[in-house]
Amino acid sequence: PRRAAAPPQLQLLKQAGLARSSSSNSRRLPKQLLASRLCHHATFRGHGFPVYSLLWDKAGRRVITGADDANIKVWCVVTGLLLATARGHGGEISDLSLSADGSMVASGATDADVRVWSLQPENLGQNLAVLRGHTAPITLIDFHPKLPSALLSASEDGSVRLWDAADQHFAPLLLLPRDGFGALSSSSSLAAGGGAGGPAGAAAGDGSSMAAAAAAVDAAAAGGSGAA
């Protein structure tokens, strides 16, 4: 009979070199979950409320945290010291995401805003962009794994938006549920609804490429519906 695969937790431990391979015990996790190999390194104190979001930078030398005090903090892993505090959100931080090149970190919050912050040493913690358009708390944000400025956000308003994190005046692509398929709105409808803008609510820019992308996605969705 075919041998069943080991649990995914055990596979991860083996890949990390923290668990021995054993044909007789391949389906059971270690009795002790590596406690002898773990040690306390540092404690970061500075937030006034619970921390629910945490990221490591690409080099593994800094930790970025987001908390219910509406602040994002950058810490040095080696010394445990606070390097920068990013302020601007008006609600609890709900998610963080690191750009593909490690130069920016984005934050989403219950104030419905998405903010982008610098991780460059010369302007660490500086607010680079405020991406407005969602009308309810942000539930998830995620940078593209290869395109440094492509940023996706999801909200309790039921929409998903694709932003250019490097340009807060660029109207985002808006994904809305429609007949079981996603439909990207044109930038004209985004501009009418205030889909993009900075702190002063800047108007959306030229949306010809956005409209073209929307038409392409609509066509693909229509084709998929017909095939179904």
Side-chain angles (χ1 to χ4, degrees):
R2 184 178 180 181
R3 179 179 297 174
Q9 300 95 326
L10 183 56
Q11 293 179 7
L12 290 175
L13 294 178
K14 288 180 178 179
Q15 291 174 8
L18 300 177
R20 297 179 180 178
S21 299
S22 173
S23 58
S24 61
N25 195 27
S26 61
R27 288 181 51 79
R28 290 189 296 175
L29 293 175
K31 293 181 179 180
Q32 296 180 349
L33 292 178
L34 316 174
S36 62
R37 301 195 182 188
L38 300 178
C39 62
H40 177 264
H41 180 73
T43 300
F44 306 124
R45 291 190 174 95
H47 283 291
F49 288 89
V51 175
Y52 291 109
S53 299
L54 183 146
L55 289 175
W56 291 80
D57 72 352
K58 295 290 185 180
R61 298 176 181 176
R62 295 177 296 184
V63 168
I64 304 102
T65 56
D68 281 358
D69 59 8
N71 294 328
I72 295 96
K73 294 180 180 289
V74 184
W75 312 82
C76 175
V77 175
V78 178
T79 64
L81 296 177
L82 177 64
L83 301 177
T85 298
R87 298 182 175 91
H89 277 294
E92 297 92 338
I93 307 302
S94 55
D95 200 12
L96 297 172
S97 184
L98 190 69
S99 64
D101 60 2
S103 66
M104 301 178 289
V105 61
S107 58
T110 57
D111 61 1
D113 287 348
V114 175
R115 290 177 178 260
V116 183
W117 315 87
S118 173
L119 289 179
Q120 302 284 16
E122 61 271 17
N123 58 348
L124 183 64
Q126 179 179 328
N127 193 187
L128 302 177
V130 182
L131 308 177
R132 292 194 171 115
H134 286 293
T135 58
I138 306 299
T139 56
L140 180 143
I141 54 174
D142 196 15
F143 271 106
H144 191 279
K146 294 183 179 180
L147 304 177
S149 65
L151 178 64
L152 195 74
S153 64
S155 167
E156 290 182 5
D157 62 13
S159 70
V160 174
R161 293 173 186 253
L162 180 61
W163 312 83
D164 182 351
D167 183 3
Q168 66 182 11
H169 305 303
F170 187 80
L173 292 176
L174 175 61
L175 185 63
L176 293 171
R178 187 187 67 183
D179 299 331
F181 292 91
L184 288 174
S185 74
S186 66
S187 61
S188 59
S189 63
L190 286 171
D206 178 22
S208 58
S209 61
M210 307 281 288
V217 172
D218 280 343
S225 178

